[in-house]
Amino acid sequence: MQLDHIAIVVENINTALEVYHHALGLPLDRVEDVPAESVKVAFLPLGDGSEIELLQPTAPDTGVSKFLAKRGEGIHHLCVEVDDIEQAMADFAAKGLRIIEDTPRVGSHGQKYVFVHPKSTHGVLIELYEKPADE
Ligand code: ZN
């Protein structure tokens, strides 16, 4: 299991990049609009294969915009890579973790992901992520 990314929800990605890119000096790989999730995302690689993702909600009434309204800016979730997401879901559920979805969501590049409820992880939303087969 390896850390894939840490997602931080922000009000404004450009203002946040002043800190994470310009002040802290993390390289900026790209900024992407992800309409399927109603977020704009800045990807800042950390050099070890993991990255920081800055998430700016682009629509009201989504999970991320509600999180921002309720809790303010800050860490939204951690994402760990697993080899086999269905296996990981079964293993973690058997150990008492609460997986939010019954089946993994599939992203635009064929990647699979699912979230573990923060109530079962001491307050942190955890994303499980299986890379697409061709990467
Ligand atoms: Zn994520």
Side-chain angles (χ1 to χ4, degrees), residues 6-131:
I6 298 169
I8 300 173
V9 60
V10 300
E11 301 269 3
N12 181 298
I13 229 158
N14 294 320
T15 319
L17 283 172
E18 287 297 322
V19 173
Y20 287 91
H21 181 46
H22 294 106
L24 290 176
L26 296 176
L28 174 62
D29 184 52
R30 65 197 188 281
V31 177
E32 246 180 51
D33 244 312
V34 186
E37 314 241 341
S38 299
V39 284
K40 200 158 123 183
V41 187
F43 296 89
L44 300 136
L46 296 171
D48 62 352
S50 70
E51 55 195 4
I52 285 182
E53 294 184 6
L54 302 175
L55 306 180
Q56 178 191 325
T58 54
D61 293 326
T62 64
V64 176
S65 64
K66 285 180 193 157
F67 180 99
L68 181 60
K70 193 171 157 198
R71 301 177 57 169
E73 295 184 308
I75 292 184
H76 182 262
H77 65 270
L78 303 183
C79 175
V80 291
E81 270 176 46
V82 294
D83 291 332
D84 179 334
I85 199 164
E86 281 86 2
Q87 185 63 54
M89 289 167 71
D91 288 351
F92 297 154
K95 289 173 184 164
L97 299 191
R98 192 168 132 205
I99 314 291
I100 294 176
E101 297 95 345
D102 290 330
T103 52
R105 299 190 219 171
V106 181
S108 54
H109 306 289
Q111 75 275 25
K112 294 184 191 171
Y113 60 101
V114 74
F115 287 91
V116 183
H117 200 283
K119 281 229 159 72
S120 64
T121 57
H122 298 260
V124 179
L125 181 65
I126 297 181
E127 178 180 6
L128 306 177
Y129 168 77
E130 182 187 318
K131 279 188 174 175

